[in-house]
Amino acid sequence: MSDVSVAIRPVKTCFQSRYTLPTFQRDYKWESKHFTELLSDIQGTFLESYESTHGRKDVASYRSYFLGSIITSAEKGGQKPIVDGQQRLTSIFVLMAYLKRYCHDQEIAHVEDLSTLLQRTSYGTIDYTIEFSESRRSIFREYLNYDQSVSTAMEKIDSLSGLDSGDLRVVEVLKSVDKEIHETVKQHIQFFIDYLVEKVELIEISVASENDAHRVFVTMNDRGLRLGPIDLLKGHILSKVTDAEVNQKCHELWVKTVNDLRRLGAEEDSLFFRAMFRARWSNTIRGKKKGDPPGDFDHIGDSYHRWFVDNATNIGIVTSDDYSRFSRDEITKYADIYAAIRRAEEEFDPAYEHVFYNSVHKYTLQAMVLLAPIKPNDTDTEWQSKVQLVARFLDLILTSRSIEGKDNNYDNLRDISYGITRAIRGMDHSAVLTYVQTEWDTHLQAMQGIGNLSYAKSERSDILYILARIADFLENKIQLTNSVGFGVYVQRDRGGRTFDIEHLLCAPSQNATQMGFASPAEYTELRNRLGALVLLPRSRNRSLQDKSYIDKLAAYSTENVLAQSLCSGFYQNNPNVNGFTTTHPTMKLRAIPSFSKAEIDERAEVYRAVALEIWKKP
């Protein structure tokens, strides 16, 4: 094999090269939760060193963050093929694209020019430092087009056709970045960008030819030379199982379990062990004050294999029998439950509906909390009932926080999630139910303010989520034959059939005072309130934008339940609807032939009544 060179390179140096992607490396497989963990780690390492008294040059002395390794071969025509590491490089590219856009939109001066690391111009043509497909280039062309707002850019990206699964994951990550950026990082973004490009480092393993690069890749991955945390954990556990026959059985089960986890997605094996160790055994977490030491939660996140080795005795895994039981019975059981949770996050299952709802919130700590009350001897019925109950409680918390205007990002949810994990750890179902019922009303209070949600002030995804839950509830209760379903309402890759938020009142209005509004300003404010919003397919929503409410009613009559319920035809000769309004008198649905200020409050009251039923105490 040709000579292999190994070098530690900061992000800045790496992105001074231009990379090409072999066919097998083109698919971006990371989900937003993988990206969120990476971003949280980078920000955490930065904030450990940052002091408000520091100058920019002090960043040079900060502790570096090691991102991992990439394998490349020699440049051809000014381009360097990536054989391994596309996930990391693409993730850093997305982060830099966000930071570039953020600095431009916020008019932040004296900052590292990230455009030189994101793109190159050759003969008047702009291209990117990673050779993306045309569909992925179109995503970044829209996102980095400063002639349009970022919200307009994201709307156009949602409308792009021909995006593959990797492109959709890139879009999902782009949408998640802003709320995951720590407020301190935003306030001192110049420092963080310096840290990212100068102190976040990769190991680049480079060989002369692409064939040699493939050999290095295969050797590191298939012959055990890349000893990651999973391999080290496996080696430690199996070394403690002294009976040869039992050891062989444990090894076979381990291989099957890890392979099954990896089929769920990238890094799922490591994510599982982090979730399980935190759920079952972590007793401490880093405090909020600067300089507070890391706790079990943090050590597990950094090096779960090392934490296990150091703490096995403390958690009761001491003898060879303990290790064999843990490997043979417990890891496999918890991995199966974790896999069930992950599948329920990806695809709606009525048996685990709230798990899916929480995943729509991009809640990355869900698996940890759901595993917390599970005991090794739980029957399938027992652990399933616990998962359903805790997921329902988490749904209430996430939704109530949205209504209160709180960000559901990793940093804000970390301590809340950990507190619940500690509280319900190892409980039986009745104890979990008592805990949930005791805590429920504290969070349910936020539902009273649901009508104050505003399109202009809230996260659009939060409003869409709540309207989708309300619509889905009504469809099921009324047993509509033309139901849409929650999963379709929130699906963002259906082109013109993707659902958007529809304003019932157009903007601007020339007769606001005649409609009961004190002023045009009040009209503008209240038309954005939840009571003046429904959902429509994107193509229909855009075709009706400039029309008055009365002119839109005919179109509403053929749409989903939120729009249809405004029309008189919805109530005519429809016993299911009439039966529903009789049995649910607080949900005062009625046809609204004209819509003004009073109807906004009336409609908001309908939404509030439905929400209180959806999120009622178990």
Side-chain angles (χ1 to χ4, degrees), residues 58-346:
D58 289 313
V59 177
S61 64
Y62 288 9
R63 181 167 69 91
S64 297
Y65 179 85
F66 175 56
L67 188 62
S69 62
I70 61 173
I71 304 174
T72 65
S73 59
E75 287 190 4
K76 297 178 182 178
Q79 297 178 322
K80 187 181 292 187
I82 303 175
V83 174
D84 186 33
Q86 186 257 136
Q87 310 297 319
R88 296 182 185 90
L89 289 179
T90 301
S91 298
I92 293 299
F93 186 97
V94 171
L95 177 56
M96 290 194 297
Y98 165 82
L99 294 170
K100 174 64 178 173
R101 175 92 215 197
Y102 181 84
C103 290
H104 175 274
D105 291 350
Q106 301 298 318
E107 299 181 351
I108 297 173
H110 310 297
V111 66
E112 176 82 27
D113 184 8
L114 294 175
S115 61
T116 62
L117 305 182
L118 292 169
Q119 57 194 38
R120 300 282 188 273
T121 302
S122 179
Y123 299 104
T125 301
I126 296 177
D127 208 347
Y128 301 103
T129 47
I130 300 177
E131 184 197 37
F132 294 131
S133 64
E134 176 54 32
S135 58
R136 198 161 302 174
R137 286 198 295 270
S138 67
I139 294 171
F140 290 110
R141 276 199 297 267
E142 294 291 355
Y143 188 75
L144 295 172
N145 178 3
Y146 306 125
D147 292 332
Q148 59 189 3
S149 68
V150 69
S151 59
T152 299
M154 294 311 300
E155 286 179 5
K156 289 186 176 180
I157 289 170
D158 280 339
S159 299
L160 291 172
S161 60
L163 301 185
D164 62 26
S165 60
D167 297 330
L168 294 174
R169 291 190 185 98
V170 167
V171 174
E172 181 184 357
V173 168
L174 263 178
K175 290 178 178 179
S176 71
V177 183
D178 187 68
K179 73 175 185 178
E180 298 297 341
I181 296 287
H182 197 282
E183 199 56 42
T184 302
V185 170
K186 285 186 177 179
Q187 292 169 2
H188 306 282
I189 202 77
Q190 301 99 322
F191 288 74
F192 181 70
I193 290 174
D194 289 342
Y195 181 81
L196 176 68
V197 301
E198 301 281 5
K199 302 298 291 183
V200 174
E201 298 173 334
L202 299 97
I203 292 179
E204 181 175 357
I205 302 169
S206 183
V207 298
S209 72
E210 197 164 335
N211 284 339
D212 286 347
H214 283 289
R215 292 177 191 173
V216 172
F217 175 77
V218 170
T219 298
M220 292 179 67
N221 286 277
D222 289 351
R223 299 183 189 174
L225 297 183
R226 178 182 286 182
L227 290 180
I230 288 289
D231 306 290
L232 296 170
L233 180 65
K234 170 188 171 184
H236 174 76
I237 291 174
L238 295 186
S239 70
K240 300 292 186 179
V241 180
T242 55
D243 184 283
E245 185 176 344
V246 175
N247 187 289
Q248 178 61 29
K249 179 63 176 177
C250 288
H251 179 270
E252 292 171 359
L253 286 171
W254 180 284
V255 170
K256 179 183 183 303
T257 299
V258 169
N259 286 340
D260 288 345
L261 289 168
R262 287 174 177 168
R263 276 191 283 273
L264 292 173
E267 309 291 335
E268 287 294 342
D269 46 0
S270 290
L271 291 174
F272 159 68
F273 281 107
R274 288 191 186 102
M276 182 178 69
F277 290 173
R278 285 169 167 171
R280 299 186 66 187
W281 296 308
S282 61
N283 288 312
T284 54
I285 191 170
R286 189 194 302 274
K288 291 291 188 181
K289 295 180 181 178
K290 188 171 182 64
D292 284 346
D296 293 332
F297 179 96
D298 312 286
H299 286 306
I300 291 169
D302 290 338
S303 303
Y304 59 85
H305 61 292
R306 191 173 297 118
W307 181 89
F308 181 84
V309 172
D310 293 341
N311 290 274
T313 299
N314 296 334
I315 62 179
I317 301 177
V318 180
T319 68
S320 177
D321 288 344
D322 294 334
Y323 277 94
S324 62
R325 183 196 71 252
F326 177 61
S327 176
R328 181 186 62 241
D329 303 327
E330 296 184 20
I331 288 178
T332 53
K333 181 184 183 74
Y334 281 88
D336 286 344
I337 297 172
Y338 176 86
I341 292 168
R342 289 290 296 116
R343 286 192 291 269
E345 287 179 332
E346 292 296 320

Side-chain angles (χ1 to χ4, degrees), residues 480-499:
L480 291 181
T481 56
N482 59 341
S483 294
V484 176
F486 176 82
V488 176
Y489 282 122
V490 297
Q491 189 177 343
R492 308 311 297 153
D493 59 350
R494 302 174 69 247
R497 294 179 298 160
T498 296
F499 277 82

